[in-house]
Amino acid sequence: MAHLSVTGISKTFGTVPVLVDQSLEVEQGEFVALLGPSGCGKSTLLQIINGLIPADSGRVVLDGEDITGRTGSGRGMVFQGADLFPWRTAIENIAFGLQVKGVGKAERLERARHYLELVGLRGFENAWPHQLSGGMQQRVGIARAFCIQPSLLLMDEPFGALDVQTRDILQDELVRIWEAEPKMVLFVTHGIEEALYLADRILVFSKRPARVLSEIKVPFARPRHDDMKLDPEFLRLRREISELLRHDLEA
Amino acid sequence: MQLGRLTTNILGIVLVLILWQAVGMHLGDALVATPVQVAKALPETLTDPEFWPALGLMIGQMMIGYLLALAVGIPLGIAMGRSRPVFTVVKPWASMFIVVSAAALVPLLIILMGRGLLFRTCIVFVATLWYVVVSITEAARAVSPRLLDVAKSFSASDFQRFRFVILPALYPYLLIAARIGLIHALRAMVTAEMFIGAGFGGLLNNAGLDLSTAPLFGLIVVLMLVSAGATELLRRVAGRAAPWYASRTGG
């Protein structure tokens, strides 16, 4: 059983406490959104789970393995700006994680092609990143993370830099891909609607130092559709979270 | 667009030639030979039995020092760009040597090692090395820390990050450094040969003693063509070897 358990994470940058004793759990196949104001520390928490930033204290356990302070093993990361390697074509970018693992060229390109097609980029195998639009670049970024078949997918405001239309399309695409290959997802965002639309559960974070203000189970069935954004329950939850965040910021 | 640029290029060259012709006709060929006189003198220069061996000798001997400078300068530059201690130790020397002109070092090197191949190799090496080092250092310092983080996220080892991120990121700059280095190598070589009156530099010296400056200008034009031709060749190699860079910069 895939399972992520994060316990007692604290982090201070210089003298500024960013995270104080934070814990969270993610169950197999669960899509969890970390929602909070910009700069609150939710991205820091994600990078600690990813292993890029060392925590001052606390433990990260994935599938029974203590992975605190280490990168790799079981996690796939999607970065905010896609951050593709400009000297690699789309398919070579997707295959990167497999290459690092030492998978042979023919096999890794074959597997990369599968994910390239899954994110709808058939025909763009040999395109350079700068020839792709922002949305297409992030599709490659998503495929790159899926290609190593992680049990946990980490996404740090992946659609934050995209225009609204592209973001809506990519949200649907992400859900479609994720339903094809379900895995645990931690999705950092400051968009309330985005969190409600995508997640099974939302952890609403306070301003810095980040702590969980509220945990919200999203009651909508899957597959989800765009019309649910007009559902009275959706609007009620949106208003509730919005007031929660505003109240915290003004406190 | 391409055609327009070519036309502008040719127009610029024609304008300079006209100006040169006017100045030459005014001053007389003992001071400034006109382009027409140079063109008439050029066949004689090119058929001079000494000319081709001198040119070959200059380029051949220059290549030794130039390639050595690349072989030492590229690794040293990368080390300086990626390692604080190496940077701190080497940078003052680089800054000092880069401002010393090759001509200033020639007398010292002649005293130390005579006028043979060792001297010529050495002067080219010293004059070229620091330009290569400084360009590579700057490029290595500018390697995107975000892309290094991406690689780390996919659990790339230090060596893999060097091979998959730092080296490809530096690739276009290696060829730029090779181009800059080549120009300085050629300059140093001509300077050295003029001091000792050998090879192509020797021909330049002799031509300087002629009654007409036409042969001298002829040699200078040949030198310009060699330099421009070689850098253009390297530019094309760069365009082929790093298409993602060339197509992004429109080069």
Side-chain angles (χ1 to χ4, degrees):
Chain A
M1 273 288 273
H3 182 86
L4 173 74
S5 170
V6 178
T7 41
I9 295 287
S10 295
K11 179 70 186 175
T12 302
F13 284 127
T15 56
V16 183
V18 180
L19 294 163
V20 182
D21 196 27
Q22 286 306 299
S23 302
L24 65 88
E25 304 275 324
V26 182
E27 300 299 331
Q28 177 163 27
E30 197 181 19
F31 196 126
V32 178
L34 307 182
L35 176 68
S38 299
C40 77
K42 57 194 191 303
S43 283
T44 305
L45 182 59
L46 198 76
Q47 291 306 351
I48 287 171
I49 296 168
N50 189 28
L52 277 182
I53 296 177
D56 297 339
S57 64
R59 258 158 53 91
V60 182
V61 177
L62 179 65
D63 302 340
E65 187 190 355
D66 190 333
I67 50 160
T68 316
R70 285 196 286 129
T71 56
S73 58
R75 286 152 295 171
M77 177 86 196
V78 180
F79 292 82
Q80 185 176 14
D83 287 337
L84 304 180
F85 298 112
W87 49 82
R88 286 174 170 251
T89 59
I91 196 160
E92 286 169 347
N93 262 289
I94 297 171
F96 177 75
L98 294 177
Q99 189 175 11
V100 167
K101 286 184 177 181
V103 177
K105 188 169 185 179
E107 191 192 339
R108 69 172 184 257
L109 288 182
E110 191 189 316
R111 278 166 69 181
R113 188 175 305 277
H114 167 75
Y115 287 99
L116 180 108
E117 287 174 5
L118 192 63
V119 297
L121 285 180
R122 183 198 291 262
F124 289 96
E125 288 84 350
N126 299 319
W128 300 104
H130 70 270
Q131 296 170 326
L132 302 174
S133 68
M136 288 161 92
Q137 288 185 19
Q138 197 52 286
R139 283 169 194 257
V140 176
I142 291 167
R144 182 172 64 181
F146 267 86
C147 194
I148 55 170
Q149 298 178 320
S151 69
L152 172 65
L153 190 66
L154 302 166
M155 308 186 85
D156 187 5
E157 302 195 25
F159 308 141
L162 304 175
D163 61 77
V164 180
Q165 287 77 16
T166 311
R167 186 184 316 167
D168 286 349
I169 293 166
L170 274 183
Q171 284 170 358
D172 286 336
E173 285 281 294
L174 173 64
V175 170
R176 185 180 59 76
I177 298 159
W178 174 71
E179 279 166 357
E181 287 192 24
K183 50 186 86 245
M184 297 184 285
V185 181
L186 275 178
F187 188 101
V188 165
T189 179
H190 57 254
I192 299 171
E193 218 170 81
E194 183 169 67
L196 278 170
Y197 188 59
L198 294 174
D200 299 311
R201 189 154 57 92
I202 303 173
L203 299 176
V204 184
F205 281 88
S206 69
K207 66 187 180 199
R208 205 173 58 206
R211 66 191 163 79
V212 177
L213 289 172
S214 171
E215 180 176 342
I216 292 165
K217 287 244 180 218
V218 183
F220 305 105
R222 296 186 187 274
R224 292 179 179 168
H225 299 290
D226 218 33
D227 0 328
M228 79 174 243
K229 290 177 182 169
L230 299 170
D231 189 293
E233 178 64 4
F234 187 95
L235 297 172
R236 189 191 65 76
L237 279 170
R238 198 177 76 173
R239 194 174 322 118
E240 184 188 313
I241 297 170
S242 172
E243 274 166 16
L244 190 67
L245 286 170
R246 190 171 333 127
H247 188 259
D248 170 65
L249 280 176
E250 286 165 357
Chain B
M1 191 64 201
Q2 195 63 265
L3 197 69
R5 213 167 73 181
L6 194 67
T7 317
T8 321
N9 267 346
I10 291 172
L11 198 68
I13 292 170
V14 168
L15 273 175
V16 169
L17 285 178
I18 290 171
L19 193 69
W20 177 7
Q21 181 75 26
V23 172
M25 284 165 76
H26 184 69
L27 292 177
D29 73 335
L31 290 175
V32 178
T34 64
V36 174
Q37 288 165 328
V38 172
K40 279 181 187 160
L42 207 51
E44 200 185 320
T45 307
L46 295 181
T47 50
D48 184 334
E50 281 181 53
F51 174 80
W52 292 104
L55 187 65
L57 186 75
M58 174 183 73
I59 292 174
Q61 294 190 340
M62 178 202 75
M63 288 307 283
I64 302 172
Y66 169 65
L67 292 177
L68 273 176
L70 289 183
V72 174
I74 290 169
L76 184 59
I78 295 175
M80 277 176 72
R82 301 306 310 172
S83 154
R84 209 2 85 184
V86 176
F87 183 82
T88 317
V89 170
V90 183
K91 181 67 184 176
W93 296 105
S95 311
M96 265 191 278
F97 271 105
I98 207 165
V99 293
V100 176
S101 84
L105 293 172
V106 168
L108 178 67
L109 291 180
I110 291 179
I111 293 169
L112 284 173
M113 40 190 92
R115 303 147 62 98
L117 179 61
L118 179 65
F119 155 69
R120 294 171 212 187
T121 300
C122 202
I123 191 77
V124 170
F125 178 79
V126 172
T128 309
L129 176 69
W130 300 105
Y131 286 95
V132 175
V133 167
V134 167
S135 350
I136 297 290
T137 302
E138 287 313 310
R141 278 157 71 97
V143 172
S144 160
R146 297 211 333 208
L147 292 181
L148 287 166
D149 273 353
V150 171
K152 202 173 172 187
S153 274
F154 284 92
S155 67
S157 64
D158 285 349
F159 174 72
Q160 285 175 322
R161 287 196 287 158
F162 178 75
R163 189 175 146 208
F164 294 142
V165 183
I166 294 175
L167 271 192
L170 287 180
Y171 205 79
Y173 299 99
L174 295 182
L175 289 154
I176 290 171
R179 254 155 72 194
I180 295 172
L182 184 65
I183 293 164
H184 287 279
L186 197 59
R187 283 181 176 187
M189 191 65 193
V190 172
T191 308
E193 284 188 339
M194 287 185 76
F195 264 87
I196 57 177
F200 196 86
L203 290 185
L204 278 168
N205 266 347
N206 292 341
L209 301 174
D210 270 353
L211 276 179
S212 167
T213 50
L216 179 61
F217 275 110
L219 288 172
I220 292 173
V221 167
V222 168
L223 197 57
M224 282 163 68
L225 289 177
V226 167
S227 177
T231 48
E232 176 62 20
L233 185 73
L234 276 174
R235 202 178 68 80
R236 277 169 195 250
V237 169
R240 270 186 175 243
W244 56 271
Y245 185 78
S247 70
R248 189 169 51 174
T249 52

